[in-house]
Amino acid sequence: MRDTYISIDLETTGLSPRRDKIIEIGALKIENGEITQTLSSLINPGRRLDERIIDLTGIRDEDLTEAPYIEVFFPRLLDFMGDLPLLGHHVFFDYSFLKKAAVDQGIPFEKEGIDTLPIALKYLASLEHHNLGYLCAYYQIPIRAHRAYEDARATHFLYRELAEQFEEQEMQTLQAGDRK
């Protein structure tokens, strides 16, 4: 289990990094298993939000008018992340939006990722659902879903629960593989 990483979550205007934009970023720096720093900001997407996004996130157009554009905020986020790997629940989604923001600004962006979703799919296959809200309810982790900081925080605690519960099982599997 990694104990130093950036737990990150984004809220966006939709699902496509090519067409849609980031509207909120929440990130926590985890060092030796503890939250040491946080970074959170609304992001102005430069367009109006669809009603479904407003309903999902509670973020409204007027909340974003004074928010920085991603071009302004991104260097601060990069500095915050440093060389640490990114933790997320379906982290590829968040990574793809961050990668697009970097490419648009001509900034190299490559990060290692830690994803709680495949861990949950592997070890909790019998559960009915594997989305972040369901898994947090399963482990009794408080969450205010679809807000970036809260989802990043919950993902950190979910990762710790999964690692604590399944790390020993994983080590036994790896050791059994060594004996073959």
Side-chain angles (χ1 to χ4, degrees):
M1 175 181 132
R2 293 273 179 112
D3 65 352
T4 301
Y5 51 86
I6 300 295
S7 185
I8 194 159
D9 188 76
L10 308 178
E11 300 303 327
T12 63
T13 61
L15 302 176
S16 171
R18 276 198 242 143
R19 291 186 311 272
D20 294 305
K21 302 290 183 186
I22 298 168
I23 59 171
E24 186 177 34
I25 297 173
L28 296 83
K29 185 174 286 186
I30 312 300
E31 296 175 296
N32 301 314
E34 300 296 323
I35 300 169
T36 59
Q37 293 180 47
T38 64
L39 181 67
S40 181
S41 181
L42 293 169
I43 303 294
N44 189 327
R47 67 167 114 166
R48 298 188 60 75
L49 299 177
D50 291 342
E51 218 35 62
R52 65 183 170 79
I53 298 301
I54 294 168
D55 292 343
L56 182 67
T57 65
I59 299 170
R60 306 176 62 74
D61 289 317
E62 53 269 20
D63 299 328
L64 303 175
T65 55
E66 299 297 318
Y69 290 93
I70 191 63
E71 296 80 10
V72 173
F73 189 77
F74 199 66
R76 184 173 170 205
L77 178 63
L78 288 174
D79 185 53
F80 180 82
M81 291 187 298
D83 293 331
L84 296 176
L86 302 181
L87 171 76
H89 192 74
H90 190 55
V91 74
F92 179 76
F93 176 84
D94 302 295
Y95 181 88
S96 64
F97 275 87
L98 295 171
K99 179 75 173 183
K100 175 74 165 81
V103 166
D104 288 351
Q105 295 181 56
I107 298 170
F109 186 80
E110 298 296 329
K111 291 281 183 191
E112 183 181 347
I114 308 163
D115 198 332
T116 54
L117 180 58
I119 297 169
L121 288 168
K122 178 178 180 177
Y123 291 109
L124 300 170
S126 64
L127 291 184
E128 185 177 352
H129 302 286
H130 294 90
N131 62 55
L132 183 59
Y134 189 90
L135 292 169
C136 285
Y138 179 80
Y139 283 107
Q140 299 178 345
I141 299 168
I143 184 173
R144 182 177 165 211
H146 302 295
R147 289 309 301 259
Y149 174 82
E150 288 297 322
D151 286 356
R153 187 186 136 296
T155 301
H156 160 63
F157 288 111
L158 174 62
Y159 178 62
R160 291 185 59 170
E161 289 285 345
L162 291 169
E164 185 177 305
Q165 185 173 356
F166 299 112
E167 187 171 35
E168 184 176 318
Q169 186 176 340
E170 183 69 19
M171 292 308 291
Q172 290 171 354
T173 301
L174 291 173
Q175 289 169 356
D178 291 342
R179 290 190 291 255
K180 291 183 181 179

